[in-house]
Amino acid sequence: MEDKVKQKYVNAGKVIQKARRHARDIAEPGTNYETIAEEIEGLIRDEGLEPAFPVNLSTNDRAAHYSPETSEERVLKESDVLKIDIGAHCEGYIADTALTVNTSGEYDEMIQTNREVLQAALDFLEPGVTVGELGTHIHNQVPDEYSVVRNLTGHSLDKFTQHAGLSIPNIRNSDETVFEEGDAVAIEPFLTKGSGKIKEGKKGNIYLHQGGNVRGRTERQLLKKIKNFNGLPFSSRWLDMSGREKMALKKLVQSGAVKHYPVLREVDKGVVTQAEHTVLVGADDGENIVTTRE
């Protein structure tokens, strides 16, 4: 990995560390979900970077891909188990992290276990380890009272690419792909007291430009705005759309030019926790750089 590229990954990680601290401070009962997302995304922009994707605020059995809409009315409850998934990029080079909060204290043990599982993965990961070995190691760290979410994985990162082709399961597997020095990856185990399987729910508020031609004038104009996200996921909150543009976005989804992500939920409605850090494998003279960890 070139030094200038490494530095951009590190710079994104430093901003994300600030965003994590702020997220913990503001994720209090009674706080509006839109406020939480907007404040975290605003901090990233104030630091001179851009969000790599909309802040995900997935609660309880929702595992991923919930991001609030404009004029969101939902507020955080004391009983909510909130996964806060945050990303920032420095000229396209991404830092991706997630934490779980619950102010009631009921899920402290589960949240702490998830953190420990992630830490064990970070300690084990090094150049030469295979994806299968890492997944098996992660799986072996999970106590019997919890299940690993099987169909959510970590992933590789690349310039303006959040999911760069390599999936990193958190379960026993035989993938012989080798982690190499300089690989940028996000490691993110999810735990649950449910069955450990995720299904697609209703459409959320996260989108992705997929290409293709469109005909309508409003659709073309809106697509110009969307292309400014450089192929990274975006929220309708970021577009400040008119009524016609909202309809145009629906047409872009229908045409396949834009992907509309569904919210992911645990099939047995089991509570889900998440912990995630971004790693530059062996990038410091053979040692890992965990860009999002203080």
Side-chain angles (χ1 to χ4, degrees):
M1 178 180 287
E2 296 180 5
D3 285 344
K4 63 180 181 180
V5 170
K6 178 169 69 175
Q7 192 58 51
K8 289 172 184 176
Y9 275 118
V10 169
N11 289 346
K14 288 180 179 178
V15 171
I16 281 296
Q17 292 171 28
K18 294 181 181 180
R20 283 177 62 96
R21 292 195 294 270
H22 190 56
R24 286 192 182 279
D25 288 342
I26 63 174
E28 293 289 341
T31 307
N32 180 277
Y33 274 64
E34 184 184 3
T35 298
I36 296 172
E38 291 283 344
E39 285 208 19
I40 296 169
E41 292 163 359
L43 182 150
I44 291 168
R45 294 186 177 106
D46 288 345
E47 292 290 330
L49 301 188
E50 289 293 326
F53 51 85
V55 168
N56 285 214
L57 299 175
S58 307
T59 51
N60 305 328
D61 66 317
R62 294 183 181 92
H65 295 172
Y66 182 86
S67 193
E69 298 181 1
T70 302
S71 301
E72 177 79 46
E73 295 183 356
R74 290 185 65 211
V75 298
L76 185 65
K77 300 175 183 178
E78 184 178 15
S79 60
D80 283 338
V81 177
L82 176 66
K83 280 76 66 186
I84 309 175
D85 199 343
I86 313 168
H89 72 86
C90 178
E91 297 180 29
Y93 296 99
I94 298 169
D96 186 356
T97 192
L99 60 153
T100 303
V101 296
N102 170 247
T103 57
S104 74
E106 181 180 354
Y107 293 91
D108 284 356
E109 182 177 347
M110 185 176 180
I111 293 169
Q112 181 60 29
T113 298
N114 206 154
R115 292 176 187 151
E116 292 171 356
V117 169
L118 173 60
Q119 184 58 53
L122 300 179
D123 292 342
F124 183 80
L125 178 60
E126 62 182 14
V129 168
T130 69
V131 170
E133 289 170 340
L134 179 61
T136 300
H137 182 76
I138 292 171
H139 204 160
N140 289 342
Q141 309 308 308
V142 180
D144 291 341
E145 59 262 40
Y146 305 119
S147 297
V148 182
V149 175
R150 302 189 297 277
N151 52 339
L152 288 176
T153 70
H155 50 90
S156 54
L157 298 160
D158 207 343
K159 187 176 184 180
F160 287 115
T161 309
Q162 185 191 2
H163 292 262
L166 178 64
S167 294
I168 305 170
N170 299 302
I171 58 173
R172 299 181 187 95
N173 68 92
S174 57
D175 190 330
E176 296 183 354
T177 303
V178 175
F179 291 102
E180 298 182 357
E181 189 172 304
D183 285 347
V185 296
I187 306 300
E188 52 177 325
F190 294 78
L191 301 186
T192 182
K193 291 187 176 182
S195 67
K197 188 174 180 181
I198 298 300
K199 65 178 180 179
E200 293 185 354
K202 295 180 179 179
K203 298 296 184 182
N205 190 30
I206 301 176
Y207 300 83
L208 180 73
H209 178 221
Q210 296 193 127
N213 296 317
V214 294
R215 294 184 178 181
R217 180 181 177 184
T218 306
E219 287 82 11
R220 292 198 305 270
Q221 291 175 337
L222 182 59
L223 202 55
K224 286 183 180 179
K225 295 183 182 179
I226 289 170
K227 288 180 178 179
N228 290 329
F229 302 124
N230 294 296
L232 290 171
F234 64 93
S235 167
S236 63
R237 285 185 289 107
W238 299 355
L239 292 171
D240 190 23
M241 292 183 292
S242 66
R244 292 183 67 180
E245 286 177 319
K246 291 177 182 178
M247 183 60 66
L249 181 59
K250 291 181 180 180
K251 291 181 179 179
L252 289 174
V253 171
Q254 291 169 356
S255 72
V258 169
K259 178 179 180 179
H260 191 183
Y261 286 90
V263 176
L264 302 179
R265 308 190 75 144
E266 212 282 328
V267 295
D268 289 341
K269 298 184 178 181
V271 167
V272 177
T273 62
Q274 176 190 14
E276 178 184 18
H277 278 308
T278 295
V279 185
L280 306 182
V281 181
D284 183 16
D285 293 329
E287 298 295 321
N288 295 338
I289 299 174
V290 184
T291 67
T292 53
R293 182 178 62 190
E294 297 180 65

